[in-house]
């Protein structure tokens, strides 16, 4: 009996010490976010967004009493109390937690070979439009306008006996990080856009460690995704019942995801219909992996590999566990103050 009383006494002291430590945490972080509807979508329910973001912050380690959110129009002001009591919560990490949409998509893809010739035709048409009439000899066309697309895009091809060979999969090629904005604008030009499939959606891979052909500038992989007729990924925000983080190769980590029954059945149908094709795993518009499936994947389980550190994997897993909650709303921080 005495041992049991001693146990409860120690437990009470421990809990009291924890509460005292947190209550002594100094300062509060005030963050105001602006919430906007995605293009073509209805205005988000601000109360739901407020609840979802608070839940997300609590899941990441804040005590519920230390997180308050106040809605004012299309803005929410969050106050994180006793901020110094959470040393693992640096401000950069908090920004990522709040602004992430946590939108998971499982998307069909195009083969790069299906898109390449269309880009060639688009570039030729764009070059003609830039050069103007053929008999105009008053000005000489700048060199960079001769190949406005392929001066920016390094194709994912190999050199074979009969010239360049397309590599299998949805990776179109590499674009230097410094050129990504310019390249995106190029693809929006109607001369090129109208020659590409309406269902095509380009996305960047979550991997900026590759190098362009000159081996000096970091570049991003361009992936060709295939939307449905509704303009969305085949599966968006599937139901998730379990998320686990596991060590992958002794240094990096992966995330294992288990879907609920309806989503697992839908995933089996999608993979069965895309035998020997790539299925892209997309989180917040970045492609984390695009494995080639060999028939239907049953059981509703898959893995996300992204060369993650343990902290990165845990953060992503926490986002997936918390769920999307904010729909397709775009969330951006407009003000941030640390009050000591």
């Amino acid at each position: 009996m005495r041992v049991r009383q001693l146990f409860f006494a120690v437990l009470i002291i421990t809990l009291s010490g924890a509460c005292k430590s947190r209550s002594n945490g100094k300062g509060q972080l005030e963050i105001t976010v602006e919430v906007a509807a995605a293009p073509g979508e209805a205005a988000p329910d601000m109360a739901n967004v407020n609840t979802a973001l608070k839940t997300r912050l609590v899941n990441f380690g804040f005590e519920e009493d230390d997180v308050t959110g106040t809605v004012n129009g299309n803005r929410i002001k969050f106050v994180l109390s006793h901020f110094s009591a959470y040393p693992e919560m640096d401000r950069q990490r908090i920004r990522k937690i709040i602004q992430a949409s946590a939108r998971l998509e499982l998307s069909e893809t195009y083969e790069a070979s299906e898109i390449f010739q269309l880009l060639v035709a688009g570039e030729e048409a764009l070059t003609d439009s830039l050069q103007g009439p053929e008999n105009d000899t008053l000005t000489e066309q700048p060199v960079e306008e001769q190949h406005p697309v392929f001066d920016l895009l390094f194709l994912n091809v190999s050199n074979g006996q009969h010239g360049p060979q397309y590599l299998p999969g949805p990776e179109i090629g590499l674009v230097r990080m410094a050129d990504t904005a310019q390249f995106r604008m190029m693809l929006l030009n109607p001369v090129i856009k109208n020659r590409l499939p309406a269902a095509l959606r380009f996305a960047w891979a979550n991997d900026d460690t590759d190098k362009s052909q000159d081996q000096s500038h970091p570049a991003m992989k361009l992936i060709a995704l295939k939307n449905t007729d509704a303009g969305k990924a085949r599966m968006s925000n599937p139901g998730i019942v379990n998320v686990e983080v596991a060590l992958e190769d002794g240094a990096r980590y992966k995330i294992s995801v288990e879907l609920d029954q309806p989503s697992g059945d839908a995933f089996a149908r999608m993979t069965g219909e895309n035998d020997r094709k790539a299925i892209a795993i997309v989180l917040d518009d970045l492609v984390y992996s695009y494995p080639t499936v060999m028939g239907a994947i049953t059981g509703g389980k898959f893995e996300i590999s992204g060369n993650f550190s343990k902290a990165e994997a845990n953060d992503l897993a926490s986002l997936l566990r918390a769920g999307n909650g904010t729909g397709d709303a775009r969330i951006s921080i407009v003000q941030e103050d640390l009050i000591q």
Side-chain angles (χ1 to χ4, degrees):
M1 183 69 178
R2 185 171 182 176
V3 173
R4 187 176 180 183
Q5 290 175 334
L6 180 61
F7 169 78
F8 281 113
V10 171
L11 179 61
I12 292 170
I13 292 172
T14 302
L15 291 175
S16 299
C19 293
K20 183 178 180 180
S21 174
R22 185 168 65 84
S23 64
N24 286 343
K26 297 180 180 179
Q28 66 182 29
L29 184 63
E30 298 182 355
I31 297 177
T32 301
V33 302
E34 190 170 83
V35 183
E41 300 291 337
D45 185 315
M46 294 299 294
N48 287 347
V49 174
N50 184 19
T51 300
L53 293 182
K54 178 174 180 178
T55 299
R56 192 180 292 180
L57 288 164
V58 171
N59 284 348
F60 271 81
F62 283 100
E63 293 290 335
E64 188 168 0
D65 291 344
D66 286 344
V67 182
T68 58
T70 305
V71 177
N72 182 13
N74 69 331
R75 293 190 173 189
I76 305 173
K77 181 177 181 180
F78 287 98
V79 177
L80 307 178
S81 304
H82 310 125
F83 186 63
S84 64
Y86 302 95
E88 74 284 359
M89 283 290 190
D90 62 85
R91 291 167 70 173
Q92 182 176 358
R93 186 181 178 212
I94 293 171
R95 293 185 198 108
K96 289 182 179 179
I97 294 168
I98 289 176
Q99 294 183 114
S101 71
R103 185 175 62 256
L104 175 65
E105 298 171 307
L106 304 173
S107 177
E108 296 172 309
T109 64
Y110 285 97
E111 284 289 312
S113 57
E114 298 179 80
I115 305 302
F116 175 70
Q117 291 298 337
L118 299 176
L119 285 174
V120 170
E123 183 186 65
E124 290 175 351
L126 182 61
T127 302
D128 290 344
S129 69
L130 291 172
Q131 289 177 339
E134 292 184 3
N135 60 356
D136 185 0
T137 58
L138 296 177
T139 59
E140 184 176 350
Q141 191 68 16
V143 174
E144 62 269 18
E145 291 188 354
Q146 300 302 315
H147 297 287
V149 174
F150 295 107
D151 281 343
L152 301 178
L153 174 64
F154 301 95
L155 291 171
N156 184 35
V157 296
S158 64
N159 293 320
Q161 288 183 334
H162 304 289
Q165 302 292 314
Y166 310 121
L167 295 177
E171 182 186 334
I172 302 297
L174 296 172
V175 177
R176 284 188 289 256
M177 291 183 69
D179 296 333
T180 53
Q182 181 183 352
F183 185 76
R184 275 290 195 185
M185 291 300 297
M186 189 84 64
L187 294 178
L188 292 174
N189 189 304
V191 176
I192 294 179
K193 185 177 180 180
N194 292 340
R195 285 169 169 77
L196 298 174
L200 174 63
R201 169 188 163 200
F202 286 117
W204 303 115
N206 184 53
D207 182 0
D208 59 3
T209 60
D210 290 285
K211 304 291 182 180
S212 56
Q213 289 180 348
D214 62 11
Q215 296 295 309
S216 61
H217 296 91
M220 299 191 73
K221 294 177 183 176
L222 184 70
I223 310 299
L225 306 180
K226 182 186 293 186
N227 280 343
T228 64
D229 293 340
K232 297 182 180 294
R234 175 77 178 262
M235 294 182 65
S236 184
N237 291 322
I240 296 174
V241 295
N242 192 38
V243 182
E244 299 291 340
V245 173
L247 195 61
E248 186 169 29
D249 59 6
R252 311 306 290 178
Y253 290 78
K254 63 182 178 182
I255 302 169
S256 298
V257 179
E258 182 179 358
L259 303 176
D260 62 18
Q261 185 71 43
S263 294
D265 291 344
F267 187 56
R269 288 193 297 273
M270 179 173 70
T271 51
E273 294 168 10
N274 286 273
D275 184 34
R276 301 180 189 278
K277 295 180 181 179
I279 295 295
I281 300 171
V282 187
L283 184 62
D284 286 350
D285 296 322
L286 287 175
V287 181
Y288 279 81
S289 57
Y290 37 96
T292 299
V293 298
M294 308 299 284
I297 299 176
T298 59
K301 295 181 180 180
F302 62 90
E303 294 179 344
I304 304 175
S305 299
N307 203 27
F308 303 120
S309 67
K310 186 175 182 179
E312 290 168 337
N314 283 330
D315 282 359
L316 280 174
S318 293
L319 281 173
L320 291 171
R321 291 188 191 104
N324 172 256
T326 59
D328 290 325
R330 303 295 189 256
I331 300 167
S332 56
I333 293 175
V334 294
Q335 187 171 345
E336 180 180 324
D337 299 296
L338 179 61
I339 301 175
Q340 302 288 356

